Amino acid sequence: MQPAFEPLHSHVFDLHNPTAARRTRQVMWLTAAMMVIEILAGTVFGSMALLADGWHMSSHALALGVSAGAYALARRHLHDPRFAFGTWKIEVLGGYTSAVLLMAVAAYMGFESIVRLVNPTEIQFDQAILVAVIGLVVNVVSAWALSTGEDHGHGHGHDHGHDHGHDHGHDHGHRAARDDDAAHDHPSHRHHHHDLNLRSAYLHVVADAVTSVLAIVALLSGKYFGATWMDPVMGLVGTVLVARWAWGLLHDSGRVLLDAEMDAPVVEEVREVVHQLDPAAVLRDLHVWRVGKGKYACIVSLKPARALDAEDVRRALAIHEELVHVTVEFAPA
């Protein structure tokens, strides 16, 4: 017979961001519509420039679809008990997948640029410039929409459905953390508060906007100064920029997914708190991992040199509001 399970609190530490989800869906449909228009126009008018840009936009529409789907899955399973610390990492996984697709776009851009540098092709400058300008306008609008999608005001600080201030009476602590950077304004923590899924969507449209700008510069140089080599060279410049952005997103999202957080500043802060609480205590084990934007869980195992209980340790760690789930255990002598 299994013991009765009556959880004292929710383990949802990062609530759904409806603003980001809505903006991502809007940008996805805008990108998909532009993709269809360019492919149809390219087919009807026989323009390879329109066709190429249309299929290029399809990769971004797919990546934006991944991001939008991640938001939908995270919201749908928000209170699913199978997820020990909520569904926030579904969004992070969406960001990671989108970054992989962005890296594939960079590889394709680099390959095409090298081919065109070695084997130059005739460029229809007027059509290509028109396509690049339209693409730039669409991506600037999309980037603006996504840049305003970070929702900082949806109340992570209290909406967990229970009182965080009472004594749970066991060696497991949980309390809410405010989700604004001012709550614990350590510069090295600030980038951890961003929505990685939203960032991935934003990078896709920014990457497309930058390549449009580079293309316009190259096409104008080719049309008015005969510098046709500028087109593939600017393509290679865009490849490097997009690849760097994709790698940064892969690094940040992969770090969260693999729980590679033991070099985060909060780890040293936990050590400092334990030392101040009991300078002679021996820290036997320490695990810290991220469970939300700027929010961490930790397990502390220590051998105290004086009389301590778990609540003493949790109360001391409470000064660091990014610690939202604390488990304390005392190692045997």
Side-chain angles (χ1 to χ4, degrees):
M1 182 177 178
Q2 294 183 348
F5 179 63
E6 297 180 358
L8 293 174
H9 52 255
S10 167
H11 287 81
V12 178
F13 302 108
D14 202 285
L15 299 183
H16 177 62
N17 185 347
T19 303
R22 183 175 64 255
R23 293 296 173 84
T24 302
R25 287 196 304 272
Q26 291 170 345
V27 170
M28 177 193 70
W29 290 119
L30 178 61
T31 303
M34 188 65 196
M35 173 198 75
V36 171
I37 290 171
E38 288 190 345
I39 291 175
L40 289 177
T43 302
V44 172
F45 299 116
S47 170
M48 287 305 297
L50 283 170
L51 275 173
D53 198 62
W55 287 115
H56 171 73
M57 289 193 78
S58 70
S59 64
H60 292 296
L62 176 62
L64 289 165
V66 169
S67 295
Y71 280 125
L73 284 174
R75 182 183 69 253
R76 181 180 302 169
H77 298 287
L78 186 62
H79 299 290
D80 190 327
R82 293 176 299 173
F83 296 91
F85 290 96
T87 58
W88 173 67
K89 284 190 178 180
I90 293 179
E91 297 179 13
V92 179
L93 181 60
Y96 183 88
T97 306
S98 191
V100 171
L101 293 174
L102 190 60
M103 189 66 81
V105 168
Y108 174 76
M109 288 170 56
F111 175 77
E112 282 294 314
S113 297
I114 292 173
V115 168
R116 294 191 182 191
L117 193 61
V118 175
N119 299 307
T121 58
E122 183 180 353
I123 302 174
Q124 300 178 33
F125 290 108
D126 291 336
Q127 285 184 329
I129 290 172
L130 176 61
V131 169
V133 170
I134 293 174
L136 178 60
V137 171
V138 169
N139 284 297
V140 167
V141 172
S142 298
W144 172 82
L146 292 174
S147 69
T148 58
E150 192 82 52
D151 188 354
H152 298 289
H154 46 280
H156 290 181
H158 56 274
D159 190 17
H160 292 294
H162 68 285
D163 180 7
H164 298 280
H166 64 277
D167 186 352
H168 294 309
H170 53 73
D171 290 351
H172 171 135
H174 174 221
R175 62 186 178 77
R178 291 194 304 258
D179 193 29
D180 58 70
D181 293 350
H184 186 68
D185 195 19
H186 194 299
S188 55
H189 291 325
R190 290 173 190 164
H191 70 281
H192 294 310
H193 291 259
H194 295 307
D195 186 329
L196 289 170
N197 195 36
L198 182 65
R199 177 182 160 195
S200 70
Y202 180 76
L203 282 181
H204 270 277
V205 297
V206 168
D208 214 17
V210 169
T211 54
S212 294
V213 171
L214 293 175
I216 291 170
V217 172
L219 291 168
L220 290 175
S221 299
K223 179 178 180 179
Y224 294 107
F225 302 105
T228 55
W229 53 269
M230 281 284 285
D231 186 62
V233 168
M234 286 299 186
L236 290 173
V237 172
T239 297
V240 173
L241 289 175
V242 173
R244 284 193 62 183
W245 293 336
W247 177 254
L249 183 56
L250 281 171
H251 175 271
D252 291 347
S253 55
R255 177 185 175 95
V256 174
L257 293 172
L258 296 174
D259 294 328
E261 302 288 351
M262 292 306 293
D263 60 345
V266 68
V267 176
E268 187 58 34
E269 291 168 355
V270 171
R271 296 179 188 273
E272 291 174 358
V273 167
V274 171
H275 179 73
Q276 292 171 2
L277 187 64
D278 184 355
V282 177
L283 189 60
R284 290 289 181 84
D285 204 2
L286 176 62
H287 299 280
V288 177
W289 65 100
R290 224 183 307 180
V291 293
K293 294 186 290 292
K295 299 174 183 178
Y296 295 84
C298 78
I299 298 174
V300 181
S301 177
L302 61 103
K303 178 185 174 183
R306 65 180 182 86
L308 284 178
D309 60 27
E311 192 58 35
D312 293 329
V313 179
R314 288 197 295 271
R315 192 178 300 111
L317 288 172
I319 64 170
H320 298 296
E321 296 193 5
E322 67 270 37
L323 291 172
V324 296
H325 192 283
V326 177
T327 301
V328 179
E329 64 180 23
F330 293 103

